[in-house]
Amino acid sequence: MLTRTTRSLLPLLLAVAGVAACGGGTAPAATAEPATTATSPAATTTTATPTAPAATTAPAGSATAPPTTYATPTDSAADQALSDLAGARGADVVSLDPATPDQPALAALVTDEGTGATLELLHWERSGWVADATLALPEPVLADREGGAVQWRHLTQDLWSDAVVYLQGGTLHSGVNAVVASHHGGRWSLVPREGVEEGEGSPVLLGNPLFDDGAVFVTRASAGGEVVAQYWRFDTTTGAWGEQPGPSVD
């Protein structure tokens, strides 16, 4: 159901690191926004249709016990049920991640709320969608983003895919922000950046991020006409993104 494409960040990371090396060890910087962005597994994105469904909700404070292995539903029941549910929620974005032996089919519904958005995460169990979590997002969703407003990745290395949700914003030309919802620890939550407090801006917001198929990704910010890059990796101990050193140049 999903088309998976890959474009490596290595040329970008080496280029950014090369600029940093010339600057005597300062933060990685570039004089212009990188022209190439990484693509990723494309999420199925549709326009919600206004029909009403019924959805099962997981008990508060508990996780639904999954079967040992998972299988993708073989008929259109799951797609139709998700379409009906999206219509009832008034969702602006609908995204589906197929089942694997390690996870059930996952779905994300995103609804704009003016200055922010709401993300609902579900999984398919037996014959219906189970609503696992509803999370508030700090900015409106970028619903018309090429490649989809939601992408599914394994940034936290959890068995279940992480949902990357692209939001309006960013400090670069045509830039965007993003948040990552992870099922790490058995419960969906937005992954924060290590050491960032609420008063310093949203700790879950990633500015102008670029991802490849690995666990390390880069965020970018415009400062004094230059692009400053930071590299991040999930820390399983803190449950947050920990800053990483940039790539070295031989």
Side-chain angles (χ1 to χ4, degrees), residues 148-247:
V150 177
Q151 295 176 337
W152 300 91
R153 295 185 173 278
H154 284 279
L155 297 168
T156 64
Q157 304 299 296
D158 190 75
L159 291 177
W160 287 24
S161 299
D162 304 312
V164 181
V165 185
Y166 289 90
L167 306 174
Q168 299 174 22
T171 60
L172 303 183
H173 176 67
S174 301
V176 299
N177 289 327
V179 294
V180 177
S182 170
H183 195 259
H184 177 75
R187 182 187 297 274
W188 287 104
S189 62
L190 298 179
V191 182
R193 287 170 293 152
E194 206 168 66
V196 179
E197 302 295 336
E198 287 288 351
E200 302 172 6
S202 175
V204 300
L205 202 60
L206 305 176
N208 307 288
L210 290 175
F211 305 95
D212 63 9
D213 287 338
V216 176
F217 64 94
V218 61
T219 59
R220 301 162 295 158
S222 178
E226 295 185 331
V227 176
V228 180
Q230 289 178 284
Y231 302 86
W232 305 88
R233 185 185 184 98
F234 185 71
D235 187 328
T236 57
T237 302
T238 63
W241 304 122
E243 191 170 357
Q244 300 290 298

Side-chain angles (χ1 to χ4, degrees), residues 90-107:
D92 298 287
V93 173
V94 183
S95 182
L96 176 66
D97 190 38
T100 71
D102 295 320
Q103 71 163 44
L106 303 176

Side-chain angles (χ1 to χ4, degrees), residues 135-152:
L135 306 174
L137 307 183
E139 294 178 348
V141 65
L142 196 66
D144 59 352
R145 178 182 178 274
E146 184 178 355
V150 177
Q151 295 176 337
W152 300 91

Side-chain angles (χ1 to χ4, degrees), residues 56-149:
T56 305
T57 302
S62 65
T64 302
T68 303
T69 59
Y70 302 95
T72 301
T74 56
D75 54 34
S76 61
D79 288 341
Q80 184 60 54
L82 184 60
S83 177
D84 292 345
L85 187 60
R89 299 289 197 268
D92 298 287
V93 173
V94 183
S95 182
L96 176 66
D97 190 38
T100 71
D102 295 320
Q103 71 163 44
L106 303 176
L109 305 179
V110 188
T111 307
D112 262 332
E113 303 290 349
T115 59
T118 298
L119 168 66
E120 185 174 12
L121 294 150
L122 312 96
H123 76 270
W124 181 263
E125 185 173 305
R126 298 183 181 88
S127 59
W129 287 103
V130 176
D132 292 320
T134 300
L135 306 174
L137 307 183
E139 294 178 348
V141 65
L142 196 66
D144 59 352
R145 178 182 178 274
E146 184 178 355

